[in-house]
Amino acid sequence: MSTETSSGPQGPGLGAMTLPRPSSGAIVTAEAYDGAAHRCGAGAFTLVSLDPPLALVTLPRSSAAAQCVGDAPFTVDVPDASGTEMTLTCSPWNVYDGGDHVIAVGEVVSCRKDQPCSSPS
């Protein structure tokens, strides 16, 4: 069963959710201007703020997804330690240079638990 937590006065309800452990895998899907979806495994993922709700991911600079995360909404699929999957939808907040990686911070606009998590293509 899917549970969606929508935005409200206190944000999208991230504080009440069990946060993924650092060892959890994360898949980022970013959409290009032409509508093509680009998927990439994140090198790192963490929630950095609850007010506003911000998520951080790192992506290899050479990936197509890294070229898109600063310009369009992106999603992050994350399995937690129990295997429950969570999907965060983020609007671009800021992108930072991380050497051979891009550090993307997005504002979480919605989150869902128990959604299927796909592998990068």
Side-chain angles (χ1 to χ4, degrees):
M1 173 178 231
S2 173
T3 301
E4 184 167 339
T5 306
S6 60
S7 295
Q10 297 179 1
L14 294 176
M17 300 183 88
T18 302
L19 301 181
R21 297 189 186 252
S23 60
S24 298
I27 305 296
V28 176
T29 303
E31 190 169 307
Y33 286 116
D34 62 4
H38 300 286
R39 303 173 81 67
C40 182
F45 162 79
T46 191
L47 295 174
V48 294
S49 173
L50 292 176
D51 186 21
L54 300 176
L56 176 149
V57 294
T58 63
L59 301 170
R61 185 172 298 283
S62 61
S63 70
Q67 308 307 311
C68 304
V69 292
D71 299 322
F74 59 94
T75 60
V76 184
D77 294 323
V78 187
D80 69 14
S82 71
T84 301
E85 293 160 346
M86 178 172 47
T87 298
L88 306 175
T89 301
C90 302
S91 62
W93 180 269
N94 212 336
V95 177
Y96 303 94
D97 180 16
D100 61 356
H101 279 66
V102 168
I103 303 166
V105 177
E107 182 171 6
V108 180
V109 295
S110 70
C111 57
R112 291 182 146 148
K113 285 190 89 169
D114 299 327
Q115 294 297 306
C117 193
S118 303
S119 299
S121 52

